[in-house]
Amino acid sequence: MSQPIIKIPLRDCIKIGKHEENGSSRHFTKAKSGAISLLFSQVYFIKEHNIVAPYKIERGTMEYVFELDVSGKVEDVVETLLQLHRASCLDKLGDQTAMITAILQSRLARTSFDKNRFQSVSEKLHMECQAEMVTPLVTNPGHVCITDTNLYFQPLNGHPKPVVQITLQDVRRIYKRRHGLMPLGLEVFCTEDDLCSDIYLKFYEPQDRDDLYFYIATYLDYNKKLNFHEHHVAERTAESYTLQWQRGHLSNYQYLLHLNNLADRSCNDLSQYPVFPWIINDYCSAELDLSNPGTFRDLSRPVGALNKERLERLLSRYQEMPEPKFMYGSHYSSPGYVLFYLVRIAPEYMLCLQNGRFDNADRMFNSIAETWKNCLDGATDFKELIPEFYGDDVSFLVNSLKLDLGKRQGGQMVDDVELPPWARSPEDFLQKSKEALESGYVSEHLHEWIDLIFGYKQKGTDAVGAHNVFHPLTYEGGVDLNSIEDPDEKVAMLTQILEFGQTPKQLFVTPHPRRITPKCKSFSQTCGHNAPLVDSPVSPGEESFEDLTEESKTLAWNNITKLQLHERYKIHKEAVTGIAVSGNGSSVFTTSQDSTLKMFSKESKMLQRSISFSNMALSSCLLLPGDATVISSSWDNNVYFYSIAFGRRQDTLMGHDDAVSKICWHDNRLYSASWDSTVKVWSGVPAETTCPKRHRFDMLAELEHDVSVDTISLNAAGTMLVSGTREGTVSIWDLTTATILHQIPCHSGTIRDAAFSPDSRHVLSTGADGCLNVIDVQTGMLISSMTSDEPQRCFIWDGNSVLSGSQSGELLVWDLLGGKLSERIQGHAGAVTCIWMNEQCSSIITGGEDRQIMFWKLQY
């Protein structure tokens, strides 16, 4: 098409009206009765001969006549143009905006969604409202309609198509968005990992947005329950992805994409475009050495703090600045910076943003190395990157549209982006950038950058300490637009904020957990960088050399859904509360609320002993190493030692003022939890003792809580203890110093069970509220939360999967990384109250409120 797009600014119009034929005008079409005449003083010609280039401007009094396809619409179009013309001639920007909004609302009110557009005659309408479809630089007003199966948007102007339709069944994720600083946006994705969404809507009322969100979320939730293998998730929290990322289930790229999404960043909003870090520091070498830490940018510092000399200049200015102070006069992400990178694939956006002109040729995105150097040295350049640098599409690096982007001072034309010497092609550049992003070094340090952009170093004193302070207007809540009464000031403020750049929504307020990386090979020299001290209780255990055992455990957990009931025995008169098994697996000891300790022979399938210490319920039991002594805890405030060899009570520890709820043993130390709000540590009995004589117990430590402690568990090394209270608080204790590391109130109600993962990096807790919560041990952050429709009373887990015993008696298998329930296995007739698994993970025993113990086998 050789004809240009004609753009006539309304404020430059002298006369607008229905065309009266008098033969004097300059025509673009043959004049008929359905024509409109415009007399104006300035016109822009855009994309002439279908070539994207700077706009051409023609000035002087001119008249154009436009013929409409539908002649009956002339009066309507002329009236709308005259209204918009009056708005454009108003002096004040605020008045202009208000009048244009009123014109638009009037048009929307006169129209409604065309129900003939429904996919099926049986569809039921649930909600209809007005909204705008958001795309970069343009929002398109129209009507949103939701039925029991589809989401529709019908734009007023029929562009980009008469109706946009999304099947609710296809929706994978939805996000509430802040648009123009207001809680009015909603973005819908039908894919799991894509950068761009299927539709972004901006509503006029927050209530409409919230109602539509609630409807879609409820639909997804209902579908998920109907078929729990389906992976429908409405809006997830940042924490729900953190566990997946830590355990290597999500790549660094995918995790950053999810964090951007959760922090209101969208490809449809240039003022809040997704932000990715500069990773590589070397754009000069012929080969890129990813085993050398010097190849990488320091991820613990913002771009503005990477150059010490520049930072010193900025800090001295900051010290002298009156409040509100800021270190950087520009941001790391703004519409201008995004289009700087994307000019070769979105040139029309840049022309639109810059009044029809490209930027100066020397200021264009000419070279990767040059851009990086400017970010290090430039007085006002602190920009980060965009996701495209780690994607698969090279078009933003190549001038495939053959755009005339100008001539540089040296005389060369601006063409393809100049790549570093180590990149053989644009494809090779992206491939190596992706490898760098997923490298060991970045995996070990990415949490530091997340702290700056999405985390606790984004605001407050931590931001000051990290040299990460930007202009107050860039932060969420930095200005309350509703409190600005002057419409001009409000529009000017909003425009300034949107053009300047916005800091992402803060997702984390505590230090972000580090990623679990395989043992360092080429990164040995950087491994100790910020790593916990070797003797710290938080450091992971050494790699096991028992590879075969590890393999068999992995195999068992991979097949945990194939668990089958082998045998069941009713041996108690009340609920079973504890299970302990001898080393060879032949003798099973159980405690119960019927106040007895029972010894059951697995081989003869016979009850061999029944021991009673008092008339109060027993709450848990364990076998000491050597299988000579069983210890039971009781609601009568005591702990009982029973000698198997001598067949009698060997000792009693009277150490608490209320019921003892749970006991643990490690390395000759006994740990007892009680409803008296304490956990006590005792120096215990020698491990191999068969001597029936009494012992003196020395209390080594007392771990005080505010309320009753209902459960405790130790990590594999015995250096940490986790406790769960009646009021829902999980506490993680360092046993080497008897001090509390973290206290996390994460359940509403009693905590039923809590345990460390085998590698001691995470704690899982289940509560009366039905939640399964995963906590990162190093930071104390809640990084995953799943909800069950009933309490999970007890569980075992391997760090990735959970086998839990539910209130209804079922055994449930949970995939924590996939965020879903994998299997329901029929079990007890009442709540499953305790669960035991052997070291090889091949045999499981459960006890229940139905007074039974059940033996399970893995069939694979």
Side-chain angles (χ1 to χ4, degrees):
M1 180 179 167
S2 62
Q3 296 292 353
I5 297 166
I6 299 165
K7 174 180 166 181
I8 303 166
L10 282 164
R11 66 177 176 274
D12 294 331
C13 288
I14 301 162
K15 187 180 172 190
I16 298 169
K18 186 176 176 183
H19 175 61
E20 307 297 339
E21 289 191 39
N22 57 14
S24 65
S25 62
R26 175 171 163 186
H27 295 300
F28 259 86
T29 58
K30 290 177 189 167
K32 291 182 185 170
S33 58
I36 293 166
S37 163
L38 275 89
L39 190 69
F40 50 88
S41 59
Q42 183 167 261
V43 63
Y44 292 87
F45 297 111
I46 301 170
K47 217 173 173 182
E48 204 167 359
H49 305 297
N50 208 23
I51 293 167
V52 179
Y55 302 169
K56 287 182 184 166
I57 306 174
E58 197 173 307
R59 295 186 176 90
T61 305
M62 292 163 271
E63 184 185 5
Y64 279 7
V65 175
F66 297 93
E67 184 194 336
L68 300 187
D69 286 344
V70 184
S71 57
K73 292 274 186 185
V74 169
E75 278 79 6
D76 185 25
V77 173
V78 168
E79 188 190 340
T80 304
L81 282 172
L82 287 169
Q83 286 177 337
L84 291 167
H85 178 249
R86 280 198 296 278
S88 73
C89 293
L90 293 171
D91 290 338
K92 294 186 172 177
L93 209 53
D95 294 342
Q96 280 187 26
T97 307
M99 188 170 175
I100 291 166
T101 303
I103 295 165
L104 174 58
Q105 290 303 321
S106 164
R107 281 204 67 198
L108 283 167
R110 294 198 306 271
T111 56
S112 64
F113 186 86
D114 178 6
K115 310 293 186 293
N116 294 320
R117 294 285 182 179
F118 282 177
Q119 294 284 300
S120 153
V121 288
S122 61
E123 274 185 78
K124 293 189 185 69
L125 174 68
H126 279 281
M127 177 184 169
E128 183 182 343
C129 66
Q130 299 161 1
E132 297 177 4
M133 189 168 91
V134 179
T135 55
L137 302 182
V138 178
T139 59
N140 212 345
H143 296 274
V144 169
C145 184
I146 193 158
T147 69
D148 49 353
T149 51
N150 291 293
L151 170 68
Y152 297 97
F153 176 75
Q154 185 171 25
L156 271 182
N157 59 5
H159 184 78
K161 48 187 180 180
V163 168
V164 178
Q165 177 249 330
I166 288 173
T167 309
L168 294 180
Q169 187 73 38
D170 295 339
V171 174
R172 286 294 172 272
R173 297 174 287 141
I174 54 174
Y175 298 96
K176 289 180 180 178
R177 293 273 183 246
R178 194 175 40 138
H179 186 273
L181 302 196
M182 304 294 282
L184 298 170
L186 184 75
E187 195 159 22
V188 180
F189 288 78
C190 293
T191 53
E192 206 48 63
D193 291 316
D194 269 13
L195 184 57
C196 296
S197 64
D198 291 78
I199 194 167
Y200 185 153
L201 296 168
K202 177 211 157 191
F203 295 79
Y204 298 109
E205 297 297 330
Q207 193 58 52
D208 286 343
R209 190 276 304 265
D210 292 347
D211 289 348
L212 194 77
Y213 173 88
F214 179 76
Y215 182 81
I216 299 176
T218 309
Y219 175 91
L220 297 183
D221 204 39
Y222 176 69
N223 264 38
K224 196 176 175 190
K225 284 194 170 103
L226 278 183
N227 180 4
F228 55 76
H229 293 283
E230 275 291 315
H231 197 69
H232 284 286
V233 177
E235 184 167 12
R236 291 171 60 164
T237 59
E239 290 83 1
S240 68
Y241 291 113
T242 305
L243 177 70
Q244 294 181 310
W245 170 72
Q246 268 198 300
R247 295 236 169 238
H249 197 71
L250 286 178
S251 67
N252 291 337
Y253 175 81
Q254 288 170 316
Y255 187 50
L256 289 177
L257 215 50
H258 286 307
L259 294 185
N260 271 288
N261 259 321
L262 290 163
D264 279 337
R265 314 302 283 190
S266 165
C267 291
N268 286 307
D269 185 351
L270 294 180
S271 70
Q272 298 189 92
Y273 203 80
V275 55
F276 269 60
W278 283 98
I279 290 292
I280 298 166
N281 183 33
D282 175 6
Y283 294 101
C284 306
S285 304
E287 294 295 325
L288 188 66
D289 182 4
L290 295 181
S291 66
N292 175 10
T295 298
F296 298 94
R297 164 253 180 111
D298 181 351
L299 288 163
S300 67
R301 295 166 175 266
V303 168
L306 291 172
N307 177 334
K308 280 189 181 148
E309 289 87 40
R310 179 178 64 178
L311 179 63
E312 280 165 17
R313 289 196 300 274
L314 291 166
L315 286 178
S316 63
R317 190 191 68 172
Y318 172 76
Q319 308 299 345
E320 294 159 13
M321 196 182 282
E323 292 292 345
K325 297 175 167 215
F326 53 90
M327 293 174 189
Y328 309 112
S330 67
H331 204 257
Y332 50 76
S333 175
S334 70
Y337 288 160
V338 173
L339 295 181
F340 167 85
Y341 290 127
L342 298 181
V343 64
R344 288 165 180 80
I345 50 171
E348 288 162 280
Y349 290 162
M350 182 177 262
L351 292 171
C352 178
L353 205 64
Q354 300 203 145
N355 295 320
R357 291 189 298 272
F358 287 125
D359 204 346
N360 176 291
D362 285 296
R363 286 201 300 268
M364 293 289 252
F365 180 33
N366 292 305
S367 144
I368 309 278
E370 217 173 85
T371 304
W372 171 241
K373 185 177 184 308
N374 209 46
C375 288
L376 286 182
D377 303 338
T380 57
D381 193 350
F382 315 110
K383 60 179 168 283
E384 292 279 7
L385 296 181
I386 54 174
E388 282 78 357
F389 278 79
Y390 304 101
D392 297 314
D393 186 357
V394 299
S395 18
F396 78 102
L397 298 168
V398 182
N399 186 14
S400 51
L401 296 173
K402 299 293 173 230
L403 302 166
D404 180 358
L405 298 170
K407 191 180 282 189
R408 302 190 64 182
Q409 279 182 347
Q412 69 272 43
M413 297 298 292
V414 175
D415 198 21
D416 296 349
V417 177
E418 189 184 320
L419 302 173
W422 46 257
R424 294 188 301 276
S425 64
E427 290 79 7
D428 187 47
F429 172 76
L430 288 191
Q431 182 56 40
K432 285 183 172 141
S433 297
K434 281 192 278 192
E435 286 168 12
L437 180 63
E438 303 304 334
S439 68
Y441 179 89
V442 173
S443 290
E444 282 168 28
H445 295 281
L446 189 59
H447 64 282
E448 297 169 339
W449 186 81
I450 292 170
D451 285 336
L452 296 169
I453 307 298
F454 304 105
Y456 82 109
K457 289 182 178 176
Q458 191 195 83
K459 295 178 185 170
T461 52
D462 290 305
V464 176
H467 308 309
N468 196 35
V469 183
F470 293 87
H471 195 284
L473 289 180
T474 66
Y475 295 95
E476 185 177 23
V479 63
D480 178 9
L481 284 180
N482 294 325
S483 69
I484 302 173
E485 289 178 11
D486 183 332
D488 285 343
E489 193 186 329
K490 186 183 279 193
V491 171
M493 179 73 77
L494 181 59
T495 307
Q496 182 188 345
I497 289 166
L498 297 185
E499 287 179 3
F500 189 84
Q502 292 175 74
T503 300
K505 187 160 109 190
Q506 190 173 22
L507 300 178
F508 308 101
V509 291
T510 55
H512 190 281
R514 62 180 59 240
R515 195 172 196 193
I516 298 169
T517 48
K519 280 277 177 277
C520 305
K521 293 186 181 86
S522 52
F523 298 96
S524 54
Q525 59 273 60
T526 61
C527 244
H529 204 59
N530 287 348
L533 299 171
V534 178
D535 57 358
S536 155
V538 188
S539 64
E542 284 301 310
E543 293 284 316
S544 169
F545 292 106
E546 300 163 19
D547 289 338
L548 290 173
T549 313
E550 288 304 314
E551 269 179 39
S552 68
K553 285 180 185 176
T554 306
L555 187 63
W557 276 102
N558 286 345
N559 290 278
I560 200 81
T561 54
K562 298 172 186 165
L563 202 61
Q564 292 195 345
L565 182 61
H566 194 52
E567 292 163 334
R568 63 170 82 195
Y569 304 97
K570 191 174 282 187
I571 58 172
H572 282 282
K573 292 177 182 165
E574 295 287 341
V576 181
T577 57
I579 300 168
V581 182
S582 60
N584 59 9
S586 62
S587 298
V588 178
F589 296 86
T590 54
T591 47
S592 165
Q593 286 183 4
D594 66 10
S595 81
T596 64
L597 166 69
K598 308 263 190 192
M599 179 176 169
F600 180 84
S601 168
K602 204 173 164 194
E603 273 140 19
S604 66
K605 300 176 185 176
M606 300 277 286
L607 189 62
Q608 292 185 317
R609 295 185 200 178
S610 181
I611 308 105
S612 198
F613 302 113
S614 75
N615 59 359
M616 297 281 279
L618 295 177
S619 56
S620 70
C621 62
L622 57 85
L623 258 172
L624 289 191
D627 292 349
T629 306
V630 185
I631 315 181
S632 306
S633 55
S634 171
W635 285 6
D636 69 3
N637 311 358
N638 297 330
V639 177
Y640 296 101
F641 290 72
Y642 174 78
S643 165
I644 300 166
F646 289 89
R648 65 183 178 206
R649 181 168 65 186
Q650 180 178 315
D651 222 328
T652 304
L653 169 59
M654 295 179 278
H656 287 279
D657 302 324
D658 205 337
V660 182
S661 52
K662 180 91 186 277
I663 49 173
C664 296
W665 178 273
H666 187 274
D667 202 14
N668 282 342
R669 285 187 182 178
L670 176 70
Y671 302 83
S672 57
S674 168
W675 297 353
D676 68 7
S677 309
T678 67
V679 174
K680 293 182 178 177
V681 186
W682 311 88
S683 62
V685 219
E688 295 292 339
T689 183
T690 49
C691 164
K693 72 174 187 180
R694 288 178 169 273
H695 278 81
R696 209 175 113 254
F697 296 98
D698 293 323
M699 188 172 77
L700 303 176
E702 183 172 338
L703 313 178
E704 290 185 12
H705 297 68
D706 296 330
V707 290
S708 299
V709 184
D710 278 26
T711 185
I712 54 169
S713 185
L714 300 170
N715 70 331
T719 53
M720 286 185 288
L721 177 143
V722 59
S723 58
T725 70
R726 186 152 299 173
E727 289 184 355
T729 298
V730 171
S731 299
I732 300 172
W733 300 81
D734 175 358
L735 293 176
T736 58
T737 56
T739 53
I740 195 160
L741 292 169
H742 306 290
Q743 210 167 4
I744 309 102
C746 55
H747 290 276
S748 55
T750 304
I751 292 175
R752 295 294 189 189
D753 202 359
F756 287 91
S757 56
D759 63 6
S760 299
R761 287 184 183 266
H762 297 125
V763 159
L764 174 67
S765 59
T766 58
D769 56 4
C771 288
L772 290 88
N773 291 333
V774 180
I775 293 158
D776 179 70
V777 171
Q778 182 206 351
T779 59
M781 186 190 284
L782 179 67
I783 57 167
S784 172
S785 187
M786 291 177 70
T787 312
S788 158
D789 46 18
E790 58 176 337
Q792 301 304 307
R793 295 283 296 270
C794 55
F795 68 84
I796 45 178
W797 74 311
D798 72 338
N800 301 325
S801 304
V802 181
L803 177 67
S804 67
S806 69
Q807 185 73 33
S808 63
E810 288 179 312
L811 291 182
L812 304 184
V813 179
W814 302 85
D815 172 8
L816 290 177
L817 301 184
K820 64 185 178 188
L821 177 64
S822 305
E823 196 62 74
R824 292 177 181 271
I825 302 162
Q826 292 306 310
H828 292 264
V832 186
T833 47
C834 48
I835 188 164
W836 172 89
M837 183 187 236
N838 67 343
E839 202 183 341
Q840 292 74 35
C841 307
S842 56
S843 168
I844 288 164
I845 305 173
T846 55
E849 270 181 1
D850 58 4
R851 299 166 287 172
Q852 296 191 86
I853 56 169
M854 293 186 174
F855 292 84
W856 303 81
K857 279 262 187 340
L858 275 176
Q859 306 290 330
Y860 57 88

